[in-house]
Amino acid sequence: MYDRLTVRQKQVVWAWGFLAIPIVFYVVIRFYPTFNAMLISFQEWNLLGDRLWTGLDNYSKLLNDPVFWKVFRNTFAYLLIGTPISLVVSFVIAFHLDRLRFMHGFMRMLYFLPFMTTAVAMAWVWRWFYQPVPIGLFNNFLSSIGIPQVTFLRSTSLALPAVLAPAVWAGLGFQIIIFMAGLRAIPRTYYEAARIDGVSGWTILWEITIPLLKPTIIFIVVFSSIGFLRIFDHVYNMTTNDPGGPLNATKPLVLMIYQTAFNDFNMGYAAAQTVVLFLILLIVSLVQLRILRDR
């Protein structure tokens, strides 16, 4: 039967043959677990017994759970604080690093190094920084200039920024590399023409550089937003004694899902939280893409 096919038809068969591997992978690894989680969210299941259909009970419980709303606010705090800070800092570093000629490769490697470091190791190092005197680096510095010690990870107001700081720092290297690639893709002729016309540096930045970096900015905003909405490793490892911090001050939605599923073994409730997280990621990504493209 294969021998009777035309060359064009054989090419189509081979194309679908190669495409079948990633399609099967995504169906088994991605799509099936997603739809299965949606199904479990309407059930009660503890991993061992039978699944019992409960309808919208898990979602009703979620809407009336004060811990969920606290976690919901924390999750968006990571997003609304972390994304703009990381975007601005990474752009400023990339903009100046792009102009650096001496030891350019070495400096770029230093900025990218934190991104290659495991989140667990980085979280524990920063946790050591936040320890009281005489262990903690930050409190040792504060005490040396006469400022009282600060309980960074035990404060309901400072714990979230303290956890967010290493998360922002860890992602800077990747964003810097992407920004530098975008900057290198801008034709030099635009800058040469602007300088010949006597355009100021700020005008060049706002009228040439940033508009031409629009695709890069869209990618980084969406990518970093998804990362901050799914933050887990830093929070879990920096608050292992009390996961989620004091009064759930640092607990994100992913950590709540983990505790509900593997500490309480309430898989239906955890699946409902997972569906909510999926919808948040989808809506935030689509809204960002729409806003940034319109601009």
Side-chain angles (χ1 to χ4, degrees):
M1 182 177 178
Y2 179 79
D3 295 335
R4 298 178 182 177
L5 299 178
T6 64
V7 174
R8 177 62 179 173
Q9 290 172 333
K10 290 180 180 180
Q11 291 177 342
V12 173
V13 170
W14 277 102
W16 278 107
F18 285 110
L19 288 173
I21 298 176
I23 289 174
V24 171
F25 173 81
Y26 273 98
V27 169
V28 175
I29 303 299
R30 297 289 187 183
F31 298 147
Y32 172 74
T34 301
F35 290 113
N36 194 37
M38 293 180 181
L39 178 63
I40 296 174
S41 68
F42 297 102
Q43 300 172 339
E44 182 180 348
W45 185 38
N46 63 358
L47 283 177
L48 298 177
D50 296 332
R51 299 184 185 183
L52 301 176
W53 188 266
T54 59
L56 297 174
D57 289 355
N58 287 321
Y59 291 99
S60 177
K61 179 181 177 181
L62 196 65
L63 294 176
N64 293 284
D65 188 352
V67 176
F68 167 74
W69 291 111
K70 173 64 176 176
V71 169
F72 185 85
R73 290 191 294 270
N74 290 343
T75 303
F76 272 88
Y78 286 117
L79 169 68
L80 298 177
I81 299 174
T83 301
I85 291 177
S86 62
L87 182 71
V88 173
V89 173
S90 60
F91 172 74
V92 171
I93 295 175
F95 183 77
H96 289 88
L97 190 59
D98 184 58
R99 299 184 173 187
L100 183 66
R101 294 294 175 264
F102 178 69
M103 297 183 67
H104 172 82
F106 178 74
M107 295 298 297
R108 186 170 56 182
M109 180 270 294
L110 288 181
Y111 280 112
F112 192 71
L113 192 61
F115 182 76
M116 300 175 61
T117 306
T118 61
V120 175
M122 190 181 305
W124 278 91
V125 170
W126 277 78
R127 182 176 178 175
W128 169 66
F129 288 165
Y130 290 134
Q131 294 302 304
V133 173
I135 301 175
L137 178 67
F138 296 145
N139 275 313
N140 276 326
F141 172 76
L142 293 177
S143 63
S144 67
I145 58 177
I147 298 178
Q149 296 187 56
V150 178
T151 54
F152 291 99
L153 298 178
R154 301 302 305 168
S155 169
T156 56
S157 58
L158 296 177
L160 192 145
V163 172
L164 183 60
V168 171
W169 180 67
L172 285 181
F174 176 78
Q175 296 182 18
I176 289 171
I177 296 299
I178 299 300
F179 264 128
M180 291 188 63
L183 289 170
R184 294 290 176 90
I186 299 176
R188 299 291 100 182
T189 54
Y190 293 161
Y191 295 114
E192 294 172 359
R195 292 190 184 97
I196 292 174
D197 292 339
V199 179
S200 65
W202 279 106
T203 303
I204 292 175
L205 176 64
W206 289 105
E207 300 296 333
I208 297 178
T209 304
I210 293 180
L212 293 177
L213 281 177
K214 186 178 179 181
T216 304
I217 294 174
I218 292 174
F219 171 77
I220 291 178
V221 168
V222 174
F223 184 85
S224 62
S225 296
I226 293 174
F228 285 118
L229 287 173
R230 296 172 54 193
I231 188 171
F232 173 80
D233 295 341
H234 292 88
V235 181
Y236 183 78
N237 287 281
M238 294 181 70
T239 60
T240 50
N241 297 332
D242 183 16
L247 300 176
N248 298 312
T250 64
K251 182 182 290 186
L253 189 52
V254 177
L255 180 56
M256 184 180 183
I257 294 171
Y258 172 83
Q259 292 177 331
T260 303
F262 301 108
N263 291 348
D264 302 334
F265 297 102
N266 192 344
M267 304 304 295
Y269 193 39
Q273 298 167 10
T274 303
V275 172
V276 171
L277 177 61
F278 170 76
L279 293 176
I280 292 173
L281 289 169
L282 180 63
I283 293 172
V284 169
S285 300
L286 292 177
V287 168
Q288 288 177 338
L289 287 172
R290 181 63 181 273
I291 293 175
L292 291 174
R293 283 177 178 174
D294 288 345
R295 290 182 179 179

